Amino acid sequence: MTANLRTGSDFARLSRRVSEAGLLDRRPGYYVFRIGLVATLFVSGWVAFFAIGDSWWQLGIAVFQAVMFGQIALLSHDLAHRQVFRTRRPSEIAGRIAGNLGVGMSYGWWMDKHTRHHANPNHEALDPDVDPDILVWSKEQARASKGLPRFIGRYQAFLFFPLLTLEGLNLHFSGIRAVSKPGIRRRGLEAALLLTHFALYFSALLVVLSPGKALVFFIVHKALWGVYMGSIFAPNHKGMPILSGDAELDFLRKQVLTSRNVRGGRIVDVALGGLNYQIEHHLFPSMPSPHLRRARPIVQGYCAEIGVPYHETGLVESYRLALRSLHEAGEPIRLSEGSPAETATGRR
């Protein structure tokens, strides 16, 4: 009990330091500029699409819009965490416009999933981001795997980035599946916005492009958007400790020990939407993203004071660690298929 009180107070002391530095204050000017810039670029991309017409040069627009879809999804993320607006209603309205209408991703479905992730990051049973639905994230999951996860798990580190080309479609289908049954708030509105998005998107492709070019545009756009989205989120937790059972960690340690920051300067900040400061984001989810960089030295110094490891790497190294972790997690599958004795052990 004494230990819990002591560790529980660690976050309170850190929170006071961060608050006194003004880092929890809203940044309306920043978000007006960022939303305006992203919206302008997004609309300009579609204006260029209609201006270019039925040409293979449209593949350049497909690449550009893959990046813009990622940036809009990042804005939807900030809105969901109430970094832009303090209250729920304007956050939900703007989030549904950005997520459902802008990129065809259900805001309500994603918010539910992401909220559960933040509450228990990297927890095998509680974090939906480490569900073994396609990939296995720990050796325990590998030993219990069947079907597709077991088939892919053998060489999942090599298949990870190719599989990300399907992530954009997965986001679409997950949203459609979510609104097709009860469970999320304002389901009818979310469904209508998704339908509007897909109607406008496919109408634009089929009106402007020949069927062959439309298909290639669609494949390139969705594949690169998926890779971009996966590349944003993969460095943050993959390769960090996986929790299970009743992990006896206070809030601060649970968030810090399962997260990894990524160095890289302003370009990485923009590309990853500030989520390269994953430790600070998990500790203070409602902190405006431009403040995460400034919070980093405060959090890093405080972690050193109380003896909590603070993990930070470069971008390429973060991917290497994530892939190495995936390869190690799949080891029981490879061993069981290579040795009858190991197979029996893995099935116990």
Side-chain angles (χ1 to χ4, degrees):
M1 183 68 169
T2 302
N4 286 338
L5 288 173
R6 178 181 59 79
T7 55
S9 67
D10 287 338
F11 176 70
R13 287 193 290 270
L14 172 61
S15 184
R16 282 195 295 271
R17 294 187 188 184
V18 169
S19 180
E20 289 169 359
L23 300 181
L24 298 180
D25 297 343
R26 291 291 183 267
R27 288 288 302 273
Y30 164 81
Y31 277 108
V32 166
F33 172 77
R34 181 177 165 189
I35 292 172
L37 177 62
V38 171
T40 299
L41 291 173
F42 177 70
V43 171
S44 297
W46 287 116
V47 170
F49 173 84
F50 284 102
I52 292 171
D54 188 21
S55 166
W56 287 112
W57 287 107
Q58 293 284 17
L59 295 185
I61 301 298
V63 175
F64 176 79
Q65 290 293 36
V67 175
M68 296 316 303
F69 268 48
Q71 287 294 314
I72 292 173
L74 287 169
L75 277 173
S76 184
H77 168 273
D78 287 11
L79 288 160
H81 281 294
R82 301 190 191 178
Q83 295 177 19
V84 184
F85 304 106
R86 289 187 182 276
T87 57
R88 185 176 70 183
R89 182 172 175 76
S91 298
E92 288 184 346
I93 292 172
R96 289 191 179 102
I97 292 172
N100 294 58
L101 185 60
V103 299
M105 182 178 71
S106 169
Y107 173 85
W109 162 79
W110 181 86
M111 185 172 181
D112 172 71
K113 174 177 176 288
H114 196 62
T115 299
R116 289 184 284 130
H117 159 71
H118 266 265
N120 292 282
N122 268 23
H123 192 289
E124 282 187 309
L126 302 174
D127 182 358
D129 287 355
V130 291
D131 280 346
D133 50 354
I134 294 180
L135 304 176
V136 294
W137 305 102
S138 70
K139 291 183 178 181
E140 289 71 22
Q141 289 182 348
R143 293 187 184 100
S145 65
K146 299 176 183 178
L148 186 61
R150 188 168 187 83
F151 176 75
I152 292 178
R154 287 172 290 184
Y155 305 109
Q156 59 184 11
F158 302 99
L159 297 173
F160 180 69
F161 280 103
L163 285 171
L164 287 183
T165 60
L166 302 175
E167 178 60 16
L169 295 178
N170 177 55
L171 292 172
H172 289 321
F173 288 135
S174 295
I176 293 170
R177 186 168 57 244
V179 301
S180 68
K181 55 187 179 182
I184 64 173
R185 288 171 50 85
R186 306 299 298 274
R187 182 164 66 104
L189 175 60
E190 292 229 4
L193 290 173
L194 284 177
L195 180 61
T196 302
H197 167 85
F198 292 122
L200 291 173
Y201 180 85
F202 287 115
S203 294
L205 264 59
L206 295 175
V207 167
V208 174
L209 302 176
S210 64
K213 291 188 182 73
L215 178 61
V216 174
F217 182 99
F218 175 82
I219 292 172
V220 171
H221 178 218
K222 299 305 179 184
L224 292 182
W225 179 44
V227 171
Y228 183 30
M229 292 297 290
S231 298
I232 289 171
F233 290 97
N236 302 331
H237 300 282
K238 309 313 177 191
M240 298 305 292
I242 300 288
L243 306 179
S244 61
D246 296 325
E248 295 184 0
L249 293 174
D250 66 293
F251 176 79
L252 183 145
R253 286 162 179 79
K254 180 166 61 174
Q255 304 299 335
V256 174
L257 296 177
T258 59
S259 303
R260 178 195 299 116
N261 275 15
V262 177
R263 296 186 299 268
R266 297 292 183 180
I267 293 177
V268 172
D269 289 2
V270 172
L272 302 189
L275 296 182
N276 45 313
Y277 303 105
Q278 189 69 189
I279 294 173
E280 289 72 27
H281 171 60
H282 261 257
L283 289 170
F284 305 99
S286 64
M287 178 183 290
S289 58
H291 286 172
L292 295 170
R293 167 186 280 269
R294 293 169 55 194
R296 174 187 165 275
I298 298 175
V299 174
Q300 187 178 37
Y302 185 74
C303 286
E305 285 181 30
I306 62 176
V308 174
Y310 181 99
H311 297 277
E312 186 176 67
T313 69
L315 183 61
V316 174
E317 176 67 5
S318 71
Y319 292 133
R320 188 188 71 81
L321 292 172
L323 294 176
R324 185 179 72 181
S325 173
L326 282 170
H327 190 66
E328 290 175 352
E331 183 180 35
I333 301 175
R334 295 190 298 274
L335 291 178
S336 67
E337 293 179 351
S339 165
E342 189 68 22
T343 300
T345 301
R347 288 177 180 171
R348 280 203 293 268

